[in-house]
Amino acid sequence: SCNYDNLAELHPEINCDPTSVSFAGDIVPIISGSCNSLAASCHGPGATKPLDTYAGVKVQVDEGKMLSSVTWDGNARQMPDGSSSKIDDCSISKLAQWIADGALNN
């Protein structure tokens, strides 16, 4: 890297608002991109623990595994599987807020 790199330009601030989170608008895109995409199809249709429907996601939430697995707190298997890093902090904040709000199908 160059000595004159500007950190603000290299790592722009992401506007993350986890105060009003919906399943369809916020949670589905997180899961689709991290859990059941073509690149990470561990939880896609036909998987042992599918996350391609609200019902499948809700099972993992109710068992306490959803948030635990993405925060890597040691109480569930770390996800995304095989990754060397967690999903981004904004996504974790949105998942946590959605779960705290009752994990509604909204």
Side-chain angles (χ1 to χ4, degrees):
S1 89
C2 179
N3 290 335
Y4 301 104
D5 285 343
N6 181 332
L7 284 178
E9 289 176 9
L10 292 172
H11 305 284
E13 185 176 324
I14 297 172
N15 186 9
C16 181
D17 182 12
T19 58
S20 178
V21 181
S22 73
F23 179 71
D26 299 290
I27 305 307
V28 168
I30 293 167
I31 292 171
S32 294
S34 301
C35 309
N36 59 12
S37 68
L38 291 176
S41 61
C42 305
H43 295 289
T48 305
K49 295 180 181 180
L51 299 178
D52 60 331
T53 64
Y54 171 77
V57 173
K58 187 71 163 85
V59 166
Q60 296 305 308
V61 169
D62 291 346
E63 290 180 0
K65 294 181 179 178
M66 176 66 73
L67 193 57
S68 182
S69 67
V70 298
T71 58
W72 296 13
D73 67 5
N75 294 314
R77 188 172 172 183
Q78 294 179 351
M79 296 292 161
D81 191 34
S83 177
S84 61
S85 62
K86 297 186 268 187
I87 62 173
D88 64 271
D89 290 340
C90 181
S91 295
I92 291 173
S93 295
K94 287 181 179 185
L95 279 166
Q97 186 62 52
W98 177 71
I99 292 168
D101 289 344
L104 302 175
N105 187 4
N106 54 358

